[in-house]
Amino acid sequence: DVKVTQSSRYLVKRTGEKVFLECVQDMDHENMFWYRQDPGLGLRLIYFSYDVKMKEKGDIPEGYSVSREKKERFSLILESASTNQTSMYLCASSLVAGGSDTQYFGPGTRLTVL
Amino acid sequence: DQQVKQNSPSLSVQEGRISILNCDYTNSMFDYFLWYKKYPAEGPTFLISISSIKDKNEDGRFTVFLNKSAKHLSLHIVPSQPGDSAVYFCAASGRINKFYFGSGTKLNVKP
């Protein structure tokens, strides 16, 4: 079974803080993704990575950066957290590139920025 | 502008009856479609998929139908069970492994 874990289930931060969200997958997947889920908007792609040290912007990258130093780990960084980044953050991974591959999700991190 | 839309935010169905969840998309280049199920406090889990070369795919109680000309897909659950109560997301992708998700439909199956 694919396992995708996220470092925190719940996180509360203050405006202006630097925030790190960590994601680890244990199935040697090439691709990793960060989404945020907001009511009425579904899941929106922030960044994805198809290889170590490679990254691509998703649909809403502003205010975020990512890091992928090892194949199994993909980090999302909020350089200076703002209240509009309060959201559920979901990490996912998939085996190979190509549109027909299923993505496997972690349990999510509920981030609140005060 | 959302490329994948689920226009019903919620659906309530009696146990044993059919649940039909709908999804519309705008991009004709999408050729692979999935449904995910999400329980509270958990990540989405893959449920069923269909590629554009098919118009129907079945897996047990779950069937997905694809109407390419209408750019519409639907998920049928028969018979519905209380354990099916969850939020259902449809997703679509083109050539690369980048998916576009709908906003979700919350299904409530009443015992």
Side-chain angles (χ1 to χ4, degrees):
Chain A
D1 263 1
V2 176
K3 192 163 184 186
V4 180
T5 56
Q6 295 182 229
S7 50
S8 306
R9 295 300 299 271
Y10 300 94
L11 213 52
V12 179
K13 296 291 181 181
R14 298 214 172 268
T15 302
E17 280 192 78
K18 190 169 186 174
V19 182
F20 292 86
L21 302 182
E22 304 284 341
C23 175
V24 177
Q25 50 94 3
D26 66 357
M27 286 301 291
D28 204 34
H29 282 178
E30 301 288 337
N31 300 328
M32 296 188 75
F33 308 81
W34 275 106
Y35 294 89
R36 62 179 280 178
Q37 181 196 354
D38 299 291
L41 296 176
L43 278 68
R44 293 180 292 165
L45 182 64
I46 304 171
Y47 267 96
F48 67 103
S49 167
Y50 50 86
D51 202 352
V52 176
K53 296 193 187 296
M54 305 300 287
K55 61 186 179 185
E56 291 279 346
K57 290 180 180 179
D59 300 313
I60 51 163
E62 297 79 18
Y64 303 94
S65 62
V66 290
S67 172
R68 192 157 179 214
E69 296 295 320
K70 293 184 177 182
K71 192 175 187 179
E72 67 271 17
R73 188 179 296 269
F74 193 35
S75 303
L76 180 70
I77 303 154
L78 287 66
E79 295 290 342
S80 177
S82 63
T83 55
N84 63 10
Q85 292 178 310
T86 291
S87 187
M88 169 69 84
Y89 289 87
L90 291 160
C91 175
S93 71
S94 66
L95 182 58
V96 294
S100 62
D101 196 32
T102 302
Q103 294 184 7
Y104 296 88
F105 284 85
T109 296
R110 170 76 62 188
L111 173 66
T112 302
V113 182
L114 302 174
Chain B
D1 192 29
Q2 281 192 283
Q3 298 192 51
V4 178
K5 292 181 182 178
Q6 293 176 256
N7 291 317
S8 298
S10 64
L11 175 68
S12 190
V13 169
Q14 204 67 38
E15 181 179 5
R17 308 294 288 269
I18 184 170
S19 296
I20 300 177
L21 295 94
N22 293 304
C23 180
D24 297 293
Y25 61 96
T26 57
N27 190 337
S28 58
M29 299 301 291
F30 288 151
D31 58 8
Y32 190 68
F33 306 89
L34 303 91
W35 285 93
Y36 281 86
K37 177 178 178 179
K38 185 180 185 300
Y39 292 117
E42 294 182 16
T45 54
F46 169 73
L47 189 58
I48 192 168
S49 63
I50 188 166
S51 81
S52 59
I53 60 172
K54 292 182 157 186
D55 54 18
K56 178 182 172 181
N57 188 28
E58 252 180 291
D59 184 3
R61 297 185 295 114
F62 302 90
T63 303
V64 57
F65 295 92
L66 176 62
N67 182 334
K68 289 186 288 294
S69 60
K71 295 192 183 71
H72 177 84
L73 66 155
S74 61
L75 174 69
H76 292 211
I77 307 173
V78 184
S80 302
Q81 299 173 354
D84 296 329
S85 297
V87 177
Y88 290 79
F89 292 98
C90 68
S93 76
R95 288 184 299 111
I96 61 171
N97 194 215
K98 182 181 172 184
F99 284 91
Y100 294 87
F101 285 81
S103 54
T105 296
K106 185 173 184 179
L107 173 66
N108 179 32
V109 180
K110 296 178 285 189

